């Protein structure tokens, strides 16, 4: 410890210091990243467990940092969120992915009712201009609002504020679907289902990863699928990495899945090549 005595909670830690310096550095370079087009949108397939067709995509953010190389969302979304830069960056991602979806549809590469899903952070959800911005992106890209899914993590709903209710009702009003991401990891998952206009549940990867080996995970996943069905929600399993897990989920009548078994999030050009060459699902 650097100091003893009254401030004895101020331990000196080189690791912590390095981490906070890195955060500061990334925070500073974030300000230029949007103008310099260092961000990229990657796409991951969502696929039907019954028809094995592509039902849509989830768009995720990547940052090609000039010095650090490709950064994953976990490394910079929290900084984006705190700084408020998440607002313009998400607007850019939304616009880009909607235009991409429209392009693939025009080329006949995806089904007419294929969906595009984007992630919305708690901060963005509370932004008073978020809904209007989204409506503008929908208009500009001429995408059908029913093709749009907004993924909201359970933690975003932790504050049961009027603001949250208003935002979710606003989303329903413009006609997009709401997906509850990372389902099961929050403290009040069932309350959320009761309180908010949810259309889809995404079973968190942590329940899917060891599904075949863990009887507890099996029980939970089975129950969530039954629950989703009886509430008339679609249910998506995330983090499917092998065929055996896929088959098991199909036997439980899970609607859709995502995961490395099918693909990792990839840039638009790679996705387009896969679509052109006929995915082997
Ligand atoms: P998420 O929404 O739960 O996204 C799924 C994450 O799981 C992605 O990581 C994806 O690469 C990973 N994943 C998908 N299938 C598998 C699998 O089979 N195995 C394993 N091990 N992992 C799999 P990614 O792209 O690093 O994103 C991490 C999180 O960052 C996302 O979690 C989401 O919460 C957040 N995020 C990503 N893009 C955005 C964005 O544009 N805005 C906001 N607010 N958050 C974003
Ligand atoms: Ca998501
Ligand atoms: Ca998730
Ligand atoms: Ca997650």
């Amino acid at each position: 410890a650097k100091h003893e005595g009254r401030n004895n909670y101020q331990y000196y830690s080189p690791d912590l210091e390095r981490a906070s310096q890195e955060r500061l550095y990334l925070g500073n370079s974030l300000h230029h990243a949007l103008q310099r087009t260092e961000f990229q949108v990657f796409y991951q397939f969502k696929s039907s467990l019954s028809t094995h067709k592509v039902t849509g995509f989830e768009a995720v953010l990547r940052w090609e940092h000039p010095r650090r190389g490709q950064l994953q969302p976990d490394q910079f979304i929290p900084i984006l969120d705190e700084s408020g830069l998440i607002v313009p960056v998400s607007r850019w991602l939304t616009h880009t992915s909607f235009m991409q979806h429209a392009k693939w549809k025009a080329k006949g590469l995806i089904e007419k009712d294929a969906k595009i899903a984007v992630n919305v952070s708690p901060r963005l959800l509370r932004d008073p201009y978020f809904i209007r911005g989204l409506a503008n992106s929908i208009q500009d890209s001429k995408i059908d609002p029913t093709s749009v899914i907004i993924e909201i993590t359970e933690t975003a709903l932790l504050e049961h504020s009027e603001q949250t209710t208003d935002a979710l009702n606003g989303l329903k009003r413009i006609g997009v679907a709401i997906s509850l991401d990372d389902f099961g990891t929050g403290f009040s998952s069932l309350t959320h289902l009761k309180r908010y206009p949810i259309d889809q549940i995404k079973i968190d990867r942590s329940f899917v990863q060891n599904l075949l080996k863990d009887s507890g995970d099996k029980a939970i996943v089975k129950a969530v699928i039954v629950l989703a069905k009886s509430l008339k929600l679609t249910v998506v399993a995330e983090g499917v990495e092998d065929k055996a897990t896929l088959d098991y989920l199909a036997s439980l009548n899970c609607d859709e899945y995502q995961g490395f078994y099918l693909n990792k999030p990839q840039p638009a050009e790679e996705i387009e090549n896969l679509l052109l060459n006929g995915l082997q699902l």
Side-chain angles (χ1 to χ4, degrees):
K2 204 176 179 186
H3 297 287
E4 302 284 359
R6 280 207 303 159
N7 290 336
N8 61 0
Y9 53 87
Q10 285 184 340
Y11 286 97
Y12 176 72
S13 149
D15 277 354
L16 264 182
E17 177 140 329
R18 210 175 304 120
S20 73
Q21 266 171 11
E22 178 69 5
R23 226 176 138 81
L24 207 62
Y25 169 68
L26 288 182
N28 285 330
S29 42
L30 266 178
H31 286 276
H32 308 287
L34 194 55
Q35 291 129 277
R36 295 189 189 145
T37 60
E38 290 168 9
F39 291 111
Q40 296 172 309
V41 187
F42 276 32
Y43 300 87
Q44 186 179 38
F45 292 117
K46 287 188 177 181
S47 175
S48 163
L49 281 162
S50 52
T51 68
H52 300 285
K53 283 184 179 165
V54 169
T55 54
F57 310 88
E58 177 176 358
V60 288
L61 197 58
R62 294 289 181 270
W63 181 12
E64 196 61 44
H65 191 280
R67 283 164 189 271
R68 295 286 188 267
Q70 192 185 86
L71 299 177
Q72 306 300 310
D74 297 348
Q75 295 170 276
F76 63 88
I77 297 264
I79 312 175
L80 267 184
D81 219 28
E82 271 167 34
S83 66
L85 282 168
I86 192 75
V87 176
V89 172
S90 284
R91 185 160 300 178
W92 170 82
L93 174 136
T94 302
H95 181 79
T96 304
S97 59
F98 288 2
M99 297 299 270
Q100 187 62 65
H101 182 276
K103 210 155 114 191
W104 284 332
K105 203 165 143 178
K107 288 186 178 178
L109 290 173
I110 53 177
E111 305 275 320
K112 282 193 183 62
D113 56 355
K115 310 279 195 274
I116 179 79
V118 295
N119 294 285
V120 166
S121 78
R123 165 90 179 227
L124 190 60
L125 194 64
R126 288 194 300 267
D127 184 280
Y129 301 106
F130 163 60
I131 304 277
R132 198 185 306 163
L134 184 68
N136 286 341
S137 296
I138 288 173
Q139 261 184 346
D140 292 349
S141 60
K142 302 188 173 61
I143 196 173
D144 188 334
T146 60
S147 300
V148 174
I149 301 178
I150 301 297
E151 294 194 3
I152 299 168
T153 58
E154 283 209 289
T155 44
L157 303 179
L158 275 187
E159 309 154 50
H160 303 295
S161 62
E162 213 171 311
Q163 240 173 344
T164 307
T165 310
D166 288 351
L168 296 187
N169 288 335
L171 287 174
K172 294 313 296 174
R173 225 174 297 120
I174 62 175
V176 304
I178 300 171
S179 177
L180 196 49
D181 206 349
D182 300 350
F183 187 78
T185 59
F187 288 111
S188 45
S189 309
L190 299 181
T191 311
H192 294 149
L193 291 183
K194 191 176 136 100
R195 193 184 305 248
Y196 299 120
I198 307 293
D199 303 286
Q200 180 179 83
I201 291 176
K202 293 185 75 174
I203 304 176
D204 191 63
R205 193 165 79 217
S206 58
F207 300 107
V208 177
Q209 216 97 77
N210 301 309
L211 186 56
L212 299 179
K213 286 178 226 130
D214 189 313
S215 58
D217 287 345
K218 267 188 188 168
I220 291 168
V221 168
K222 272 187 200 173
V224 170
I225 293 170
V226 170
L227 177 71
K229 298 274 162 182
S230 54
L231 292 170
K232 307 241 182 327
L233 310 173
T234 58
V235 55
V236 182
E238 48 176 44
V240 176
E241 296 187 355
D242 55 71
K243 175 97 168 51
T245 304
L246 180 87
D247 291 342
Y248 182 66
L249 286 162
S251 78
L252 298 179
N253 286 321
C254 184
D255 298 314
E256 297 176 25
Y257 77 100
Q258 278 178 263
F260 293 174
Y261 177 70
L262 187 52
N263 78 326
K264 289 189 176 176
Q266 291 167 281
E269 312 80 67
E270 287 178 24
I271 294 284
E272 183 156 331
N273 279 332
L274 287 171
L275 292 170
L276 279 167
N277 297 323
L279 262 182
Q280 290 301 309
L281 299 182

